[in-house]
Amino acid sequence: MDLRKSVRKTLLTLARAALPTLGFGFTCLGAFLLSTRGAGNSCAPYICIVLGFVLLTAGVVWTICVSVRSRVLRQRQRRRQRRGPAASAPWTGLIFTHHPMRNPWTETPTLSPQTLSNPATP
């Protein structure tokens, strides 16, 4: 099973590197065809240019998403190592509440009196 994961990871890495290259190549091919077509009325150069931009954009976005994801995972792992095993537990016993008229996304959470009196119950 490890060999399959390793091969899959390697193939995805190669695809992620090849996608922007293929996109750039298709864009250049379309520009070349457009400049040398003369009086022909073909839409192939335009298709190559559009396909090239789509492949280039998809490759760049895919690479950025993978790098951000790996960075976030590394930061989480470092944070857990600094805090220790007790802090990485899913339930710490704190109940966070907010006032019904306040925006919970912009306000800082406060501890409820229930948490202060009995921290073990959810």
Side-chain angles (χ1 to χ4, degrees):
M1 193 65 162
D2 268 346
L3 181 63
R4 284 185 184 176
K5 282 186 180 181
S6 176
V7 169
R8 182 174 183 245
K9 186 175 180 179
T10 304
L11 289 176
L12 287 176
T13 301
L14 289 174
R16 196 172 62 239
L19 208 57
T21 307
L22 284 172
F24 182 73
F26 270 105
T27 304
C28 291
L29 177 67
F32 174 74
L33 291 175
L34 193 62
S35 68
T36 60
R37 73 180 174 139
N41 197 9
S42 174
C43 64
Y46 300 108
I47 291 173
C48 283
I49 290 173
V50 170
L51 181 65
F53 277 125
V54 168
L55 289 174
L56 184 71
T57 305
V60 169
V61 168
W62 186 15
T63 303
I64 289 171
C65 289
V66 168
S67 66
V68 167
R69 181 176 176 236
S70 66
R71 181 180 173 134
V72 167
L73 291 175
R74 272 187 269 127
Q75 285 177 348
R76 284 182 186 170
Q77 186 178 15
R78 276 191 234 132
R79 218 177 280 143
R80 285 183 183 148
Q81 287 174 352
R82 274 189 263 140
R83 291 183 184 173
S88 63
W91 175 252
T92 59
L94 298 177
I95 299 173
F96 292 102
T97 60
H98 66 277
H99 192 272
M101 297 304 287
R102 291 185 185 161
N103 185 353
W105 303 108
T106 59
E107 299 288 327
T108 56
T110 58
L111 292 174
S112 68
Q114 178 187 6
T115 303
L116 297 176
S117 64
N118 192 2
T121 58

Coordinates of all heavy atoms in Angstrom, one line a residue, residues 7-42:
V7 N 3.9 6.1 -5.5 CA 3.8 6.2 -6.9 C 2.7 7.3 -7.3 O 2.9 8.1 -8.1 CB 3.4 4.9 -7.6 CG1 3.0 5.1 -9.0 CG2 4.6 3.9 -7.5
R8 N 1.6 7.3 -6.6 CA 0.5 8.2 -6.8 C 1.0 9.6 -6.5 O 0.7 10.6 -7.3 CB -0.7 7.9 -6.0 CG -1.9 8.8 -6.2 CD -3.1 8.3 -5.4 NE -4.2 9.2 -5.7 CZ -4.8 10.0 -4.8 NH1 -4.4 9.9 -3.6 NH2 -5.8 10.7 -5.2
K9 N 1.7 9.8 -5.4 CA 2.2 11.1 -5.0 C 3.2 11.6 -6.0 O 3.2 12.8 -6.4 CB 2.8 11.0 -3.6 CG 3.3 12.3 -3.0 CD 3.8 12.2 -1.6 CE 4.2 13.5 -1.1 NZ 4.7 13.4 0.3
T10 N 4.1 10.7 -6.5 CA 5.0 11.1 -7.5 C 4.4 11.5 -8.8 O 4.7 12.5 -9.4 CB 6.0 10.0 -7.8 OG1 6.6 9.6 -6.5 CG2 7.1 10.4 -8.8
L11 N 3.4 10.8 -9.2 CA 2.7 11.1 -10.5 C 1.9 12.4 -10.4 O 1.9 13.2 -11.3 CB 1.7 10.0 -10.9 CG 2.4 8.7 -11.4 CD1 1.3 7.6 -11.6 CD2 3.2 9.0 -12.6
L12 N 1.3 12.7 -9.2 CA 0.6 13.9 -9.0 C 1.6 15.1 -9.0 O 1.3 16.2 -9.5 CB -0.2 13.9 -7.7 CG -1.5 13.0 -7.8 CD1 -2.2 13.0 -6.4 CD2 -2.5 13.6 -8.8
T13 N 2.7 14.9 -8.4 CA 3.8 16.0 -8.4 C 4.2 16.3 -9.8 O 4.4 17.4 -10.2 CB 4.9 15.5 -7.5 OG1 4.5 15.3 -6.2 CG2 6.0 16.6 -7.5
L14 N 4.4 15.2 -10.6 CA 4.8 15.4 -12.0 C 3.7 16.1 -12.8 O 4.0 17.0 -13.6 CB 5.2 14.1 -12.7 CG 6.5 13.5 -12.2 CD1 6.7 12.1 -12.8 CD2 7.7 14.3 -12.5
A15 N 2.5 15.7 -12.6 CA 1.4 16.4 -13.3 C 1.3 17.8 -12.9 O 1.0 18.7 -13.7 CB 0.1 15.6 -13.0
R16 N 1.5 18.1 -11.6 CA 1.4 19.5 -11.1 C 2.5 20.3 -11.8 O 2.3 21.5 -12.0 CB 1.5 19.5 -9.6 CG 1.0 20.8 -9.0 CD 0.9 20.7 -7.5 NE 2.2 20.4 -6.9 CZ 2.4 19.4 -6.1 NH1 1.5 18.5 -5.9 NH2 3.6 19.2 -5.5
A17 N 3.6 19.7 -12.0 CA 4.7 20.5 -12.6 C 4.5 20.6 -14.1 O 4.9 21.6 -14.7 CB 6.1 19.8 -12.3
A18 N 3.9 19.6 -14.7 CA 3.8 19.6 -16.2 C 2.6 20.4 -16.7 O 2.6 20.9 -17.8 CB 3.6 18.1 -16.7
L19 N 1.6 20.6 -15.9 CA 0.4 21.3 -16.3 C 0.7 22.8 -16.7 O 0.3 23.2 -17.8 CB -0.6 21.3 -15.2 CG -2.1 21.4 -15.6 CD1 -2.4 20.3 -16.6 CD2 -3.0 21.3 -14.4
P20 N 1.4 23.6 -15.9 CA 1.7 24.9 -16.4 C 2.6 24.9 -17.6 O 2.5 25.8 -18.5 CB 2.4 25.6 -15.2 CG 2.1 24.8 -14.0 CD 1.8 23.4 -14.5
T21 N 3.5 24.0 -17.7 CA 4.4 23.9 -18.9 C 3.6 23.6 -20.1 O 3.8 24.2 -21.2 CB 5.5 22.8 -18.6 OG1 6.1 23.0 -17.4 CG2 6.5 22.7 -19.7
L22 N 2.7 22.6 -20.0 CA 1.8 22.3 -21.2 C 1.0 23.5 -21.6 O 0.8 23.8 -22.7 CB 0.9 21.1 -20.9 CG 1.6 19.8 -20.9 CD1 0.6 18.7 -20.4 CD2 2.0 19.4 -22.3
G23 N 0.5 24.2 -20.6 CA -0.3 25.4 -20.8 C 0.5 26.5 -21.6 O 0.0 27.1 -22.5
F24 N 1.7 26.7 -21.1 CA 2.5 27.7 -21.8 C 2.8 27.2 -23.2 O 2.8 28.0 -24.2 CB 3.8 27.9 -21.0 CG 4.8 28.9 -21.6 CD1 4.5 30.2 -21.5 CD2 5.9 28.5 -22.2 CE1 5.3 31.2 -22.0 CE2 6.8 29.4 -22.8 CZ 6.5 30.8 -22.7
G25 N 3.1 25.9 -23.4 CA 3.4 25.4 -24.7 C 2.2 25.6 -25.7 O 2.4 26.0 -26.8
F26 N 1.0 25.3 -25.2 CA -0.2 25.4 -26.0 C -0.4 26.9 -26.4 O -0.8 27.2 -27.5 CB -1.5 24.9 -25.3 CG -1.7 23.4 -25.6 CD1 -1.4 22.5 -24.7 CD2 -2.2 23.0 -26.9 CE1 -1.7 21.1 -25.0 CE2 -2.5 21.7 -27.1 CZ -2.2 20.7 -26.2
T27 N -0.2 27.8 -25.4 CA -0.4 29.2 -25.7 C 0.6 29.7 -26.8 O 0.3 30.4 -27.7 CB -0.2 30.0 -24.4 OG1 -1.1 29.6 -23.4 CG2 -0.4 31.5 -24.6
C28 N 1.9 29.2 -26.6 CA 2.9 29.6 -27.6 C 2.6 29.0 -29.0 O 2.7 29.7 -30.0 CB 4.3 29.2 -27.2 SG 4.9 30.1 -25.8
L29 N 2.1 27.8 -29.0 CA 1.7 27.1 -30.3 C 0.6 27.9 -30.9 O 0.6 28.1 -32.2 CB 1.3 25.7 -30.0 CG 0.8 24.9 -31.2 CD1 2.0 24.7 -32.2 CD2 0.3 23.5 -30.8
G30 N -0.4 28.3 -30.1 CA -1.5 29.0 -30.7 C -1.1 30.4 -31.3 O -1.6 30.8 -32.3
A31 N -0.2 31.0 -30.6 CA 0.3 32.3 -31.1 C 1.1 32.1 -32.3 O 1.0 32.9 -33.3 CB 1.2 33.0 -30.0
F32 N 1.9 31.0 -32.4 CA 2.7 30.8 -33.6 C 1.7 30.5 -34.8 O 1.9 31.0 -35.9 CB 3.6 29.6 -33.4 CG 4.3 29.1 -34.6 CD1 5.4 29.9 -35.1 CD2 4.0 27.9 -35.2 CE1 6.0 29.4 -36.2 CE2 4.6 27.5 -36.4 CZ 5.7 28.3 -36.9
L33 N 0.7 29.6 -34.5 CA -0.2 29.3 -35.6 C -1.0 30.5 -36.1 O -1.3 30.7 -37.3 CB -1.2 28.2 -35.2 CG -0.7 26.8 -35.0 CD1 -1.7 25.9 -34.4 CD2 -0.1 26.3 -36.3
L34 N -1.3 31.4 -35.1 CA -2.0 32.6 -35.5 C -1.2 33.6 -36.3 O -1.7 34.2 -37.3 CB -2.5 33.4 -34.2 CG -3.5 34.5 -34.3 CD1 -4.8 34.0 -34.9 CD2 -3.7 35.1 -33.0
S35 N 0.1 33.6 -36.0 CA 1.0 34.5 -36.8 C 1.3 34.0 -38.2 O 1.7 34.7 -39.1 CB 2.3 34.8 -36.0 OG 3.0 33.6 -35.9
T36 N 1.3 32.6 -38.4 CA 1.7 32.1 -39.6 C 0.5 31.6 -40.5 O 0.7 31.0 -41.5 CB 2.6 30.9 -39.4 OG1 2.0 29.9 -38.6 CG2 3.9 31.3 -38.8
R37 N -0.7 31.8 -40.1 CA -1.8 31.2 -40.8 C -2.1 31.9 -42.1 O -2.9 31.4 -42.9 CB -3.1 31.2 -39.9 CG -3.7 32.5 -39.7 CD -4.9 32.4 -38.8 NE -5.4 33.7 -38.5 CZ -6.7 34.0 -38.5 NH1 -7.5 33.1 -38.7 NH2 -7.0 35.2 -38.2
G38 N -1.7 33.1 -42.3 CA -1.9 33.8 -43.6 C -3.4 34.2 -43.7 O -3.9 34.8 -42.9
A39 N -4.0 33.8 -44.8 CA -5.4 34.2 -45.1 C -6.4 33.2 -44.7 O -7.6 33.3 -44.9 CB -5.6 34.6 -46.6
G40 N -6.0 32.1 -44.0 CA -6.9 31.0 -43.6 C -7.8 31.5 -42.5 O -7.6 32.4 -41.8
N41 N -9.0 30.8 -42.5 CA -10.0 31.2 -41.5 C -10.2 30.0 -40.5 O -11.3 29.5 -40.4 CB -11.3 31.5 -42.2 CG -12.2 32.3 -41.4 OD1 -11.9 32.7 -40.3 ND2 -13.5 32.5 -41.8
S42 N -9.2 29.6 -39.8 CA -9.2 28.5 -38.9 C -9.3 29.0 -37.5 O -8.8 30.0 -37.1 CB -8.0 27.7 -39.1 OG -7.9 26.6 -38.1

